Amino acid sequence: MIKLKKSDYDIIVEHAKKEAPIEACGLIAGEISGEDRIIKKVYILTNTDHAEEHFTLDPKEQLAAVKDMRAEGLIPLGNWHSHPVSPSRPSDEDKRLAFDSSASYLILSLMDDEPVLNSFHIEGDTAYKEELVIEQ
């Protein structure tokens, strides 16, 4: 199970809406407790591609985020990105570029009036939806 605070969910949604129609992206960090992956911090990074259908995390920002995670005693849990006009599911490119099978991949769809956020575990061509709980 992935646990995300409502305030962090709001940060992701707000940034994704601001960046639309390009994909927004970032990292997630936190802790693992038994089967639970608890997100403690969301990082907003620049999509250096400035593209509507794919993203590349800014390497300098990514390094700074990882340094911050270490300083805060957090572990990297994965990343997040938005799909401004498509569903909250991994595209073929998302699957192809999911190099870390231990990571969680959060995808936020903005295609409908209400945003939809899902989390996935990706291994090769297969994506498994993870249980995601947004907590107050």
Side-chain angles (χ1 to χ4, degrees), residues 55-113:
F55 72 97
T56 299
L57 300 170
D58 180 290
K60 289 180 183 174
E61 293 175 358
Q62 191 172 5
L63 180 60
V66 171
K67 285 181 178 180
D68 183 74
M69 290 175 203
R70 289 183 185 143
E72 299 270 334
L74 303 174
I75 59 171
L77 296 176
N79 68 45
W80 68 269
H81 73 279
S82 64
H83 283 181
V85 295
S86 60
S88 174
R89 65 175 178 251
S91 66
D92 289 340
E93 181 175 286
D94 291 336
K95 292 177 191 173
R96 185 174 52 79
L97 297 175
F99 298 116
D100 185 355
S101 63
S102 69
S104 291
Y105 296 91
L106 276 63
I107 301 174
L108 176 74
S109 172
L110 298 175
M111 66 183 280
D112 295 322
D113 290 338

Side-chain angles (χ1 to χ4, degrees), residues 5-122:
K5 290 182 294 217
K6 174 76 166 66
S7 58
D8 286 334
Y9 167 81
D10 291 341
I11 288 168
I12 291 171
V13 170
E14 181 181 323
H15 181 69
K17 285 181 175 180
K18 186 182 91 177
E19 292 295 302
I22 71 166
E23 288 192 0
C25 57
L27 296 174
I28 54 174
E31 61 189 35
I32 297 175
S33 176
E35 296 293 315
D36 294 341
R37 299 164 71 84
I38 303 159
I39 299 170
K40 297 285 189 180
K41 193 163 187 179
V42 169
Y43 295 86
I44 304 294
L45 276 63
T46 302
N47 176 356
T48 59
D49 294 334
H50 303 287
E52 297 178 15
E53 295 181 1
H54 56 92
F55 72 97
T56 299
L57 300 170
D58 180 290
K60 289 180 183 174
E61 293 175 358
Q62 191 172 5
L63 180 60
V66 171
K67 285 181 178 180
D68 183 74
M69 290 175 203
R70 289 183 185 143
E72 299 270 334
L74 303 174
I75 59 171
L77 296 176
N79 68 45
W80 68 269
H81 73 279
S82 64
H83 283 181
V85 295
S86 60
S88 174
R89 65 175 178 251
S91 66
D92 289 340
E93 181 175 286
D94 291 336
K95 292 177 191 173
R96 185 174 52 79
L97 297 175
F99 298 116
D100 185 355
S101 63
S102 69
S104 291
Y105 296 91
L106 276 63
I107 301 174
L108 176 74
S109 172
L110 298 175
M111 66 183 280
D112 295 322
D113 290 338
E114 275 300 309
V116 175
L117 180 67
N118 288 305
S119 182
F120 298 91
H121 172 83
I122 302 173

